[in-house]
């Protein structure tokens, strides 16, 4: 199910991110594991984006999964949709992807079709801040949230705190933030504390989880 701006939803390509954007347009993306293992995905070529490497993606899912028994995933900077599609392949039920770049949106739609996940994805064609406002109004919590905003726009990470504060990340849910080593993220977003931080070259993956018995959220 594809939806436009009136619907709602961090991925392998992200609009405006710093790094090896243009020269990595030809790099291959694929589903690493799960029911769509090995499926090649289209990159968001021509956009100012860069890929999360398969090595980093696999490491992330080994930490947070690696497989899931249902649940909902939100990718606020979806790019080509690689992370959310990987989560679906590994057992998540439904994904909401947010992407404002039209070329990246086209790649997302093609990749959803390749994966045959047409009825399991909502695509929000909007800026992440606008999308979060709509998501909050829907009051439907997520079990996993990916945030990989443009490295030059560190304030976007505050959106994780807004979602957590609104009770839209389920108890036991996970927040995954990808960021540059020069960026220092807070120790917590609401009741979700930093559980693990892994460094891959110039990229850092920070994973947040709710401590047992700490706070209450929907879901």
């Amino acid at each position: 199910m594809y939806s436009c701006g009136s619907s709602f939803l961090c991925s392998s390509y992200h609009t405006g991110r710093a790094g090896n954007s243009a020269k990595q347009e030809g790099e291959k993306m694929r589903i690493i594991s799960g029911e769509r293992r090995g499926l090649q995905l289209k990159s968001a070529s021509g956009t100012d984006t860069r890929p999360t490497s398969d090595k980093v993606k696999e490491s992330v899912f080994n930490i947070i999964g690696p497989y899931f028994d249902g649940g909902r995933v939100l990718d606020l900077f979806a790019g080509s949709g690689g992370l959310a599609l990987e989560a679906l392949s590994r057992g998540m039920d439904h994904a909401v992807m947010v992407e404002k770049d039209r070329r990246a949106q086209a790649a997302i739609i093609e990749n959803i079709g390749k994966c045959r996940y047409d009825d399991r994805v909502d695509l929000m064609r909007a800026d992440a801040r606008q999308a979060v406002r709509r998501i909050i109004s829907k009051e439907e919590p997520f079990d996993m949230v990916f945030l990989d905003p443009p490295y030059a726009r560190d304030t976007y990470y505050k959106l994780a705190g807004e979602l957590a504060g609104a009770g839209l990340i389920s108890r036991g849910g996970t927040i995954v933030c990808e960021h540059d080593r020069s960026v220092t993220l807070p120790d917590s977003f609401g009741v979700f504390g930093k559980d693990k931080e892994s460094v891959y070259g110039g990229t850092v993956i920070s994973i947040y989880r709710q401590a047992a018995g700490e706070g209450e959220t929907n879901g």
Side-chain angles (χ1 to χ4, degrees):
M1 178 194 311
Y2 305 124
S3 50
C4 298
S6 61
S7 183
F8 63 92
L9 168 303
C10 161
S11 163
S12 294
Y13 286 75
H14 300 279
T15 305
R17 287 169 52 179
N20 306 323
S21 54
K23 62 187 177 183
Q24 289 189 333
E25 285 179 12
E27 287 205 5
K28 300 291 185 180
M29 285 175 51
R30 65 186 177 96
I31 302 294
I32 296 171
S33 192
E35 64 182 5
R36 299 292 186 263
R37 179 180 179 180
L39 186 67
Q40 294 291 325
L41 301 177
K42 179 180 177 62
S43 68
S45 59
T47 63
D48 186 15
T49 61
R50 73 174 182 84
T52 296
S53 71
D54 281 354
K55 179 180 179 180
V56 172
K57 185 163 62 173
E58 185 168 20
S59 296
V60 168
F61 279 93
N62 283 340
I63 294 169
I64 65 176
Y67 301 101
F68 312 101
D69 185 17
R72 287 165 44 82
V73 57
L74 168 65
D75 191 342
L76 277 175
F77 302 87
S80 295
L83 286 178
L85 293 171
E86 184 76 35
L88 291 175
S89 178
R90 291 171 183 254
M92 298 295 281
D93 290 322
H94 190 83
V96 179
M97 303 186 195
V98 176
E99 179 54 58
K100 67 178 183 179
D101 185 273
R102 291 185 179 182
R103 289 167 295 185
Q105 291 165 9
I108 288 173
I109 291 171
E110 182 172 331
N111 289 333
I112 292 170
K114 284 183 176 182
C115 292
R116 303 191 300 280
Y117 287 154
D118 305 68
D119 60 344
R120 295 173 62 184
V121 178
D122 286 327
L123 171 59
M124 248 188 125
R125 307 166 195 257
D127 175 80
R129 289 166 294 197
Q130 297 171 329
V132 165
R133 289 196 292 269
R134 295 175 192 159
I135 289 166
I136 290 174
S137 72
K138 294 287 185 180
E139 298 184 347
E140 296 179 353
F142 292 90
D143 303 287
M144 185 184 304
V145 177
F146 290 113
L147 287 100
D148 187 4
Y151 285 163
R153 302 189 183 172
D154 304 342
T155 56
Y156 273 124
Y157 292 104
K158 294 179 181 179
L159 296 175
E162 293 183 25
L163 290 168
L168 290 179
I169 305 175
S170 300
R171 193 185 325 171
T174 304
I175 303 170
V176 180
C177 297
E178 181 174 345
H179 56 98
D180 190 81
R181 291 184 70 172
S182 64
V183 174
T184 301
L185 295 187
D187 291 332
S188 64
F189 293 114
V191 297
F192 289 83
K194 189 182 293 185
D195 181 64
K196 187 175 182 63
E197 187 173 88
S198 301
V199 180
Y200 305 90
T203 298
V204 180
I205 302 295
S206 295
I207 296 173
Y208 293 77
R209 292 190 171 102
Q210 184 177 343
E214 183 180 359
E216 292 290 337
T217 63
N218 293 335

